[in-house]
Amino acid sequence: MAEAQRSTYEAVQRLRDAPFVAERPAYFSPAAAAQDRSNDQGSFAHFAQTLLPLEYTNWAEECAAHVTACYIGDWSSLHKVLVRGREARDFLAWLGMRDLSRFELGQIKHHVQLDANGWVASEGVLCRLGEEEFLYTAGSGDWLIWQLDQGSWDAQAVDVSPDRFIFGVQGPAALDTLEKLTGESLRDIAFSRSRMSRVAGIPVRVLRTGISGELGYELHGSATYANEIWSATVECGGPFGIRQLGLRSQPVQHIEAGIAINGLDYLPASILTPGAPTQFRRGRPGGSYVPDNGISDYFRKPGELGWGFRKAVPDRDFLGREALAADAAGGGPGRTLVGLRWNAEDVAGILTAHLGEGELPDAMEVPRGRGPAFDQVLVDGRQSGVSTGRTLSVNLRATISLCVIDEAHATPGRDVLVLWGRPDTPQREVRATVTTLPFKPDRRRTDVSLL
């Protein structure tokens, strides 16, 4: 299985611009055989270069699973890059904003990587596997690989994407499911920590993460055993109400948790460089937003996404530091990340427009669209922000989105208008209200000793 995955992965990467199927092979998850048993609709869509099932039962049930019970979802499509060597940590500390001077074995850190202008170029999760070995998982690790090649660091980066699976198990029943799966207590794993365990003798790494805003974990292991681990997790989670999460529902939880996603809620600045993502398919952002300054209007500074420093920019050296310091001296980026709750009546009018008379606005997919979409946010008739990730949340019984908005209009309760529809289409104004993030209580750091 591992050899087949790598062979197909390398062909897809090499032939990514070739015609699909005719020259470029279809690439599936290493757990595709196990997933196919429950994919009754036989529907697939791309997550990066990988084809994943769209739905297993129905999107509403799957969207609620991380709140009502738990899910197992497939994030094996993420780029996985091993960085190892004597100067591996020094390189990663220079490449990212986070201080890595205190980085314990098994610890996990959010690694935000900037370009020289202070724009976010890549971001993902960095896990320390050994004294000189780190694993970076992200939508794309190409920026990291390219930057390492530009220097003379005593370190190397290896793309292990096809060799390993990543399964997310998130929700209040996640711990019970995984303890039954591994046959041991996992309550020693604190938030943002990890350690090795076994499933029927198969080694897996258990990471405690929180992409859903709930108690949650990830399982990492060899692609050779992906089918066995997926099936065993589904079986062990059955008594606890586990659901398999299809790609249609996969990005909903990020919006509920207030987490901006690379390639969906902003475009990485790396797309203008040789370190551009190679995993993402071609396409243009949708929505009503029209950039004034070209592609860079889709880029974001870390402070605009809630990833800024609590105090002044630190003195340590990292790529993009001078740009952040200049921004701070000028008063900061001037925009901040908030949530928007969309008016239910206005949303219903768009959803039901095809049943009435008049011109038809752009269709509103549920629970959300699968590509990047940027919509204008208006205050007193003037553009004051950009909305992304418009999502119908069954957990909140509301339509919500993220919004990067001028600080002057970021007060919770502030009324704004979202302009729905691409330019040159019958656009509609949707009333919305600014709210704090996350949209629901943050349970990522649940004290599992009390469960």
Side-chain angles (χ1 to χ4, degrees), residues 111-282:
H111 204 244
V112 180
Q113 303 166 10
L114 311 178
D115 71 356
N117 298 310
W119 301 112
V120 178
S122 181
E123 61 88 19
V125 172
L126 188 65
C127 182
R128 188 168 193 178
L129 304 180
E131 288 296 332
E132 297 182 350
E133 185 174 57
F134 304 81
L135 179 68
Y136 180 62
T137 60
S140 170
D142 295 286
W143 173 258
L144 181 155
I145 295 171
W146 180 61
Q147 286 292 341
L148 181 60
D149 288 343
Q150 303 311 296
S152 56
W153 304 91
D154 185 6
Q156 62 174 330
V158 182
D159 184 356
V160 296
S161 300
D163 306 326
R164 304 186 180 195
F165 66 78
I166 298 179
F167 300 151
V169 183
Q170 301 270 325
L175 180 60
D176 289 334
T177 296
L178 293 185
E179 287 187 333
K180 183 178 180 180
L181 178 71
T182 60
E184 65 169 332
S185 172
L186 301 174
R187 298 170 192 241
D188 59 307
I189 305 178
F191 182 66
S192 290
R193 296 294 192 279
S194 73
R195 68 169 172 82
M196 295 300 297
S197 183
R198 286 184 174 271
V199 176
I202 301 170
V204 296
R205 178 171 289 274
V206 181
L207 302 82
R208 185 168 171 190
T209 60
I211 59 170
S212 66
E214 303 287 338
L215 172 65
Y217 298 85
E218 288 182 10
L219 297 175
H220 291 203
S222 168
T224 299
Y225 304 106
N227 286 301
E228 290 87 342
I229 300 300
W230 182 277
S231 297
T233 306
V234 172
E235 180 179 357
C236 289
F240 307 113
I242 196 171
R243 291 291 180 267
Q244 297 173 81
L245 189 69
L247 187 58
R248 185 176 181 183
S249 304
Q250 203 161 316
V252 168
Q253 61 196 305
H254 301 95
I255 304 302
E256 294 176 340
I259 300 172
I261 299 300
N262 188 347
L264 290 179
D265 298 298
Y266 68 95
L267 299 186
S270 58
I271 61 177
L272 301 180
T273 75
T278 59
Q279 297 210 107
F280 296 118
R281 295 171 61 79
R282 297 181 298 272

Side-chain angles (χ1 to χ4, degrees), residues 301-321:
K301 296 294 178 74
E304 295 177 316
L305 301 176
W307 302 331
F309 299 104
R310 294 180 180 178
K311 299 180 180 179
V313 179
D315 291 334
R316 57 185 173 79
D317 182 36
F318 61 89
L319 182 60
R321 183 200 174 279

